[in-house]
Amino acid sequence: MGRAKKVVLAYSGGVDTSVCIPYLMQEWGVEEVITLAADLGQGDELGPIQEKALRCGAVESLVIDGKEEFVQDYAFRSIQANALYENRYPLSTALARPLIAKMLVEAAEKYGADAVAHGCTGKGNDQVRFDISIMALNPNLKVLAPAREWKMSREETIAYGEKYGVESPVKKSSPYSIDRNILGRSIEAGPLEDPMTEPTEEIYLMTKAIADTPNEPEYVDIGFEKGIPVSLNGVILDPVVLVERLNEIAGNHGVGRLDMVENRVVGIKSREIYEAPALLVLIDAHRDLESLTQTADVTHYKNTVEEIYSQLIYRGLWYSPLKEALDAFIVKTQERVTGMVRVKFFKGNANVAGRKSDYSIYDAELATYGMEDQFDHKAAEGFIYIWGLPTKVWAQKMRG
Ligand code: ARG
């Protein structure tokens, strides 16, 4: 009796997930493997991937276009939350996992599978995200992670695959581990494992080196509706197109790179290089529009929510009760985050150059230093007397 009869496997076409197909069947007694490749804009040709899965022994090979859902229901929600893990990483890889998990669960239910599987190893964040998302969506499904249990080296994995018709990688495999989707690229391992080693220019594909960027600045007006990006330069765009276009513009000006050492869920520190041009720009612009349209207390309180929210995404808790509750808060805060932010791109910078909104609560007559000033300067004196009173009393007692 095997671990499961029918399994839906998350499939990328790489060696590891390909080897998972015969491994599940030969070693763990699985009768049928259905592969599922999610197209989230990773730029691979998915047709060949489909055939490859069948050649490796899958009974069925599904390819699902999830780009629209990914951008709309995952990335844009995250932008509303200004989600940056450890204040920097815009979660471009992390956000894809709960959606892939959802696709796996839906396929398992549709095809009557009793388990889902993924090719993650035991050291990363992605296993945590897959396993927890799957159990949150359907606690009755088993989760199988062969690569977490097999004790094969890279060479042994390839050799094992060859035995069962998995072709070995044609080109010499890159020393890097790269994850890519429409939101960005995550690059780690190989020479990057030394935190002092500067990445070489050729690892970047979405962003230009500053030396190659245009010598003229470019302005882009980003339109938001209730905290959701909807237009570029006044043209309403489909969410996927908006992200693709902004990736190109920002990348062309060398905007969107990140080099950081981060704290993984499993306790390991890892060094990762990111490219996430549009996502980083959108979060910055969105935050700016919030500063124009939200009261100070909402913005300040929301900052603390954003930190927790980013941790939830990073740590695999997208489908969790706390995340759901925070969503309700975030959506409420976005009711008037509608307007436009003008971003200036130039030589690796994307700076906000202006913003406006019909819901702006910026008051020029209060802010001005000119003659129109409506602010009651005398009131400041009484305010400071009371606001500073505890400190003054403390000083008198302590220093008196
Ligand atoms: N560190 C990132 C995260 O946990 C990316 C993980 C995948 N990275 C990779 N290079 N394969 O979300």
Side-chain angles (χ1 to χ4, degrees), residues 89 93-94 125-126 129 177-179 186-188 262 272 274 314:
Y89 164 45
T93 289
N125 293 320
D126 288 328
R129 297 167 184 152
S177 157
I178 300 171
D179 178 71
S186 307
I187 309 135
E188 63 179 348
E262 70 193 37
E272 190 106 41
Y274 296 105
Y314 190 87

Side-chain angles (χ1 to χ4, degrees), residues 8 38 41 44 53 70 76-77 94 129 149 171 186 195 244 254 283 289 299 305 333 371 384 400:
V8 179
D44 293 330
F70 183 42
F76 283 0
R77 305 306 299 262
R129 297 167 184 152
E149 294 185 39
K171 46 182 200 290
S186 307
E244 284 171 344
I283 290 172
L289 191 59
T299 295
V305 171
T333 65
M371 293 298 291
I384 295 165

Side-chain angles (χ1 to χ4, degrees), residues 113-133:
D114 50 339
V116 298
H118 58 73
C120 300
T121 68
K123 284 180 83 172
N125 293 320
D126 288 328
Q127 53 164 349
V128 181
R129 297 167 184 152
F130 278 127
D131 288 21
I132 298 178
S133 296

